Amino acid sequence: MITPYSITALILAYLCGSIPTAVWIGQAFYGVDVREYGSGNAGATNTFRVLGKKAGIPVMLIDIAKGWTATYLAHFIGTSVTGGPHSDLVSYQLALGITAVMGHLFPVFAGFRGGKGIATLFGMVLAVNIQAALLCIIVFVIVLLVTRYVSLSSIIGGFTYLTGVTFFYNQYTNNLVVIFGMCICVLIMVTHQKNIERLLKGKESKVNLFKRKKTIGEEA
């Protein structure tokens, strides 16, 4: 149901997703626009690559919070429309979460040049199905520790979510969430096309997990 509440929530979700965390933190604390270095994306992965973990970790956590916050707005829509939990809660969650991810991809506050949306997407997943989200975290961390490829970890994590909501946690979900899981896989494959090409050629950059790396801001 389209109501003033749902329209307002969609706008808020987009604006929340549009907060260019990587750009603002990079410029404020390092005098660096991360979009001019590395992969050119304004996301957590490129922030880790360009500025290191001191900048990358806050960017990642805030981007996750963006997706979770936008998705959680669905609870307020349901209450405002019916006076209690709404039967279409999952539909609202997916709509708001996807809107936030689109905001991250095309942020109005940063010239519509954003990141790949993985952290924001994970925040959305966390709000929709926490069990499947935790499974994604475990798989992501294992793949990252073994390969040190963030892109590969993200891709496998996305397919893990689809597997989780389809086979392991289907008692907590419905068909919409499974379809959403399929869309996640497609989105990840599209946004990581260049990463996949570099992985196949053996040219993808690995992250330095434990050694401190001199950042561009420090070199300047």
Side-chain angles (χ1 to χ4, degrees), residues 22-198:
V23 176
W24 285 355
I25 287 180
Q27 291 178 337
F29 297 100
Y30 299 87
V32 172
D33 186 340
V34 296
R35 296 173 298 178
E36 303 303 323
Y37 301 92
S39 66
N41 289 299
T45 300
N46 199 41
T47 304
F48 273 105
R49 182 183 295 116
V50 175
L51 299 176
K53 61 186 178 181
K54 285 188 177 180
I57 291 175
V59 168
M60 179 182 65
L61 294 177
I62 295 172
D63 283 352
I64 290 173
K66 285 168 20 179
W68 185 90
T69 301
T71 306
Y72 196 79
L73 287 173
H75 293 273
F76 296 98
I77 296 176
T79 301
S80 63
V81 173
T82 66
H86 198 281
S87 59
D88 292 331
L89 176 63
V90 173
S91 301
Y92 284 135
Q93 286 180 316
L94 297 180
L96 293 170
I98 291 171
T99 301
V101 173
M102 295 306 294
H104 182 86
L105 295 174
F106 308 104
V108 67
F109 301 123
F112 301 100
R113 291 177 56 202
K116 295 180 180 178
I118 298 302
T120 304
L121 186 64
F122 177 73
M124 173 187 177
V125 167
L126 198 62
V128 173
N129 191 313
I130 190 170
Q131 292 85 2
L134 293 176
L135 178 62
C136 289
I137 291 178
I138 294 171
V139 172
F140 177 92
V141 170
I142 291 174
V143 176
L144 183 61
L145 289 175
V146 172
T147 68
R148 292 193 291 133
Y149 288 125
V150 176
S151 56
L152 181 61
S153 304
S154 299
I155 293 169
I156 294 178
F159 280 89
T160 299
Y161 176 75
L162 175 59
T163 302
V165 297
T166 303
F167 299 106
F168 300 112
Y169 305 112
N170 53 0
Q171 69 269 33
Y172 302 109
T173 187
N174 59 31
N175 291 334
L176 272 179
V177 177
V178 175
I179 294 172
F180 167 65
M182 296 177 182
C183 292
I184 284 179
C185 295
V186 173
L187 177 64
I188 290 176
M189 295 298 286
V190 171
T191 58
H192 287 75
Q193 184 177 351
K194 292 183 179 179
N195 301 88
I196 294 171
E197 292 175 0
R198 290 194 294 266

